[in-house]
Amino acid sequence: MVSGAEMLSVAAFLEGRHAQAFPSFGSERMGAPVMAFCRIDDKEIRLREPVLEPDALIIQDPTLLHQVDLFNGLARSGSILLNTTRTLEDLGLTELARDGRGYRFITVPATELALKHVGRPLPNAALLGGFAAATGVLELDSVVAAIRAKFPAAIAEKNVAAASEAFAAVREASEHAHA
């Protein structure tokens, strides 16, 4: 997700905004969970501390849901984008979704979309497309431009396809939820 945070910051920059992306590796052992953060603002960002109260989370690996306190500090009514094909009930999140904090859970099959378009289980681009649709913080065009800036043309276009399909899927699910 470190590359994903970097691409988010590039997308924000392309929209004329200020952004800051940085990883947090925690335990330095192989296979340890990695967190990455991205701050986006319309004004200069002078803060250099970890993000303690995020407005949104992108959870790339749903197996971490009950191993780490992922939701600690998440703003009330914060958005949570989950890389999964499973339901909130299957993930054991139904109670959290209804507990009054107003969290907005959005699921997107990012790994499956990556396999379909990229041929490898690398869900970053799909998650960024889903994030753009879920939050409205960034435009899909900016995400696409950031992906194209990160990868060689052939790989970029496969990732753009995954991001675009994720964007459309999240947009469609959101429209059905509000219908």
Side-chain angles (χ1 to χ4, degrees), residues 11-83:
F13 177 75
L14 292 171
E15 291 185 11
R17 300 169 78 193
H18 297 270
Q20 179 187 80
F22 53 97
S24 173
F25 295 104
S27 172
E28 294 294 332
R29 66 177 172 78
M30 289 295 290
V34 174
M35 292 190 296
F37 302 92
C38 183
R39 285 190 174 98
I40 298 172
D41 206 329
D42 292 325
K43 61 185 184 304
E44 185 177 354
I45 300 169
R46 295 181 182 267
L47 199 60
R48 297 284 182 247
E49 289 106 37
V51 176
L52 300 177
E53 296 178 350
D55 295 318
L57 300 174
I58 299 174
I59 301 173
Q60 186 177 43
D61 182 355
T63 64
L64 297 175
L65 285 170
H66 302 289
Q67 296 177 24
V68 181
D69 186 7
L70 299 173
F71 309 108
N72 186 31
L74 180 62
R76 289 183 93 62
S77 302
S79 296
I80 302 161
L81 180 66
L82 290 159
N83 174 18

Side-chain angles (χ1 to χ4, degrees), residues 138-153:
L138 297 168
E139 298 293 326
L140 179 61
D141 289 346
S142 304
V143 170
V144 165
I147 292 167
R148 287 183 175 141
K150 174 83 175 163
F151 298 107

